[in-house]
Amino acid sequence: MGDGHKNIFKARARGFRHRQASPLFIPFHLGILIKGDGFLHRMDIYLEREKRRVMVRHTGTGAALLKKLCINPETVLIIRSDSVVPLKSKLSDNDSVRIIPVISGG
Amino acid sequence: MVRCNKCREEAAADAPQLCRKHFMDYVEDTIHNTIASRCLFSRDDRIGVGCSGGKDSTVLLSVLMKLGYNVTALAVDEGIAGYRDASLASLKEYCASNRLPLKTLSFAEVSGITLDAHAAVKKPACTGCGKMRRHLLNRLGHGFDAVAVGHNLDDEAQGILMNLLRNQIAKLSATGPVAGITEVAGFVRRVKPLYFVTEKQVMAYAVLIGLPVSFDECPYARYSYRAQVRDALNDLEAVQAGAKRRIVEWFMRVKPKLMEAMKKEAGAPISADQVSEFLRASGVNA
Ligand code: SF4
């Protein structure tokens, strides 16, 4: 068993829902850093459920990105250029991705 | 680069890790096998597909069309301002562009009140809504050999757990790829071809074929017991991958025995006088 669940439970213990948690806690000033300045690249992430954009420093797998954002991978898909990014795929700061909820409707 | 388990092309989905072509084949084969192995319907049957404009029902409609079944879209308009009108508009557009017949019926047409009016009096709204929806879908389904609904594996795992937690064994035994325990006159067969496809796979398929997917959720959904069970199951799945599938597999093993035991208690799947019940719960004298 991996350590992913600990993250989720820690997020729960901190009193917020892991699906929406972390992006709210990414300092806003990081979001206004200019992409492509060669020094402080940030991955451009659009959170479809929250309808907001965040910029995060990340080089690693899709699964690691979701872990960083405290999002349960079971509840979302990562989309890059209209294709699904498998959780084991590598992402880097130059990427621009959307995180879409798989739960919809009613 | 993560590669497809079958052809070594770039993978376009995980669980299973496959390229676009093989993932689409996998989803379509799973649906086809469910239809064939559970005898849901045949190519000669007329199938009504319960549609909401959401990803599950639209994927179901699209796959059944691709597999060559004779389908008609059936839609129930509950009357949820700002939500259902938008999803039904996209369904109408989809049906028009694919030359698919579409039949609709609304809560207001049948009972005189919308779900919004019902929800103002009765919370959570889902109990009344679900029963009325099934009732109206059954009405729309008259004349069809079966009504197919877009319930996926996640929905079913949630339903199984909800019935277990409420000790509703008769209801539990009535779920499955074919709803109901016995055939009841006046009720059209309700079947679930997406029974073994997960919610995530359905969404990935929708993205891969470029379906216009809405990410909106019903405004009443978060108050429902189902939403709590769904979140708990997703947490469990993060700890124990495959938990949802195993719940459904366990249920499929015990279902024949449960059905046998519950046959005597089985009645009509929905009350014959559902509209009056809905009106009473909404505070209107029927
Ligand atoms: S979430 Fe509840 S109220 Fe909304 S459409 Fe579904 S059953 Fe009806």
Side-chain angles (χ1 to χ4, degrees):
Chain A
M1 192 191 301
D3 279 349
H5 65 290
K6 287 185 190 157
N7 225 14
I8 288 161
F9 295 141
K10 262 193 232 156
R12 280 262 158 123
R14 288 206 299 270
F16 48 81
R17 299 169 70 76
H18 60 267
R19 271 200 277 123
Q20 298 152 352
S22 187
L24 302 173
F25 292 86
I26 293 161
F28 178 71
H29 66 273
L30 292 183
I32 55 172
L33 290 168
I34 301 160
K35 267 190 79 178
D37 59 4
F39 172 58
L40 283 169
H41 282 205
R42 292 288 182 277
M43 187 186 295
D44 182 354
I45 304 169
Y46 185 70
L47 301 159
E48 196 70 61
R49 191 186 187 92
E50 292 82 359
K51 306 227 176 310
R52 64 189 297 260
R53 170 162 269 115
V54 292
M55 312 282 271
V56 176
R57 216 162 175 186
H58 178 76
T59 306
T61 62
L65 174 68
L66 294 181
K67 195 170 170 183
K68 196 178 257 179
L69 296 173
C70 290
I71 297 176
N72 183 342
E74 198 50 28
T75 62
V76 293
L77 286 176
I78 305 174
I79 307 292
R80 181 177 49 193
S81 328
D82 292 331
S83 310
V84 179
V85 179
L87 289 173
K88 285 189 206 155
S89 281
K90 281 257 165 42
L91 292 166
S92 74
D93 286 342
N94 293 321
D95 281 317
S96 175
V97 299
R98 280 193 308 142
I99 297 186
I100 65 168
V102 297
I103 304 154
S104 61
Chain B
M1 181 166 77
V2 178
R3 294 187 183 279
C4 171
N5 287 342
K6 286 199 170 166
C7 68
R8 313 308 294 159
E9 283 279 314
E10 184 169 5
D14 20 42
Q17 189 178 299
L18 296 169
C19 65
R20 183 177 186 277
K21 181 194 174 296
H22 284 124
F23 182 77
M24 286 175 60
D25 287 350
Y26 167 82
V27 172
E28 288 158 16
D29 289 350
T30 308
I31 295 173
H32 187 241
N33 288 344
T34 308
I35 296 170
S37 65
R38 312 273 159 183
C39 304
L40 301 192
F41 44 78
S42 73
R43 287 226 159 69
D44 302 327
D45 289 338
R46 283 191 68 215
I47 314 301
V49 180
C51 292
S52 61
K55 66 166 193 316
D56 299 302
S57 51
T58 315
V59 163
L60 176 60
L61 203 54
S62 142
V63 173
L64 291 184
M65 266 192 316
K66 191 171 175 185
L67 295 176
Y69 289 99
N70 176 1
V71 290
T72 297
L74 310 175
V76 173
D77 181 1
E78 302 91 343
I80 307 171
Y83 168 67
R84 187 58 80 216
D85 25 11
S87 66
L88 286 181
S90 81
L91 174 66
K92 273 182 198 149
E93 219 178 289
Y94 180 82
C95 289
S97 60
N98 288 285
R99 294 165 191 242
L100 264 175
L102 167 68
K103 281 173 75 182
T104 57
L105 194 57
S106 72
F107 279 24
E109 274 171 72
V110 175
S111 69
I113 58 168
T114 62
L115 184 71
D116 283 337
H118 171 82
V121 180
K122 184 90 179 144
K123 284 205 173 60
C126 293
T127 315
C129 175
K131 287 181 185 170
M132 264 296 268
R133 229 160 55 154
R134 282 197 293 277
H135 175 73
L136 264 59
L137 196 57
N138 189 62
R139 276 199 194 184
L140 281 169
H142 283 302
F144 290 91
D145 296 296
V147 169
V149 290
H151 289 210
N152 56 47
L153 184 136
D154 292 47
D155 297 324
E156 290 306 305
Q158 291 153 19
I160 292 165
L161 207 57
M162 282 162 68
N163 284 319
L164 270 180
L165 294 173
R166 288 171 163 163
N167 194 19
Q168 293 173 326
I169 307 300
K171 265 193 173 177
L172 173 66
S173 58
T175 68
V178 181
I181 300 175
T182 52
E183 289 199 5
V184 180
F187 291 94
V188 186
R189 244 170 134 244
R190 209 152 53 86
V191 295
K192 303 169 188 170
L194 301 185
Y195 202 83
F196 296 102
V197 185
T198 67
E199 182 137 49
K200 209 171 163 177
Q201 288 168 344
V202 175
M203 183 57 103
Y205 186 93
V207 170
L208 291 178
I209 63 169
L211 272 188
V213 180
S214 154
F215 302 108
D216 295 337
E217 205 177 350
C218 171
Y220 304 115
R222 72 189 119 128
Y223 304 112
S224 68
Y225 182 44
R226 180 178 282 274
Q228 292 172 26
V229 172
R230 176 192 71 197
D231 290 348
L233 269 177
N234 281 334
D235 283 355
L236 264 178
E237 185 79 29
V239 182
Q240 278 280 329
K244 288 184 268 192
R245 192 171 286 280
R246 284 193 292 275
I247 290 175
V248 171
E249 282 168 1
W250 164 82
F251 174 66
M252 292 312 291
R253 282 177 68 184
V254 299
K255 185 176 159 69
K257 287 195 178 117
L258 272 178
M259 275 177 73
E260 201 49 50
M262 287 295 141
K263 249 185 187 145
K264 278 187 227 101
E265 289 184 35
I270 357 170
S271 151
D273 202 5
Q274 196 59 59
V275 180
S276 313
E277 205 179 306
F278 181 71
L279 286 172
R280 258 197 308 280
S282 311
V284 179
N285 286 329

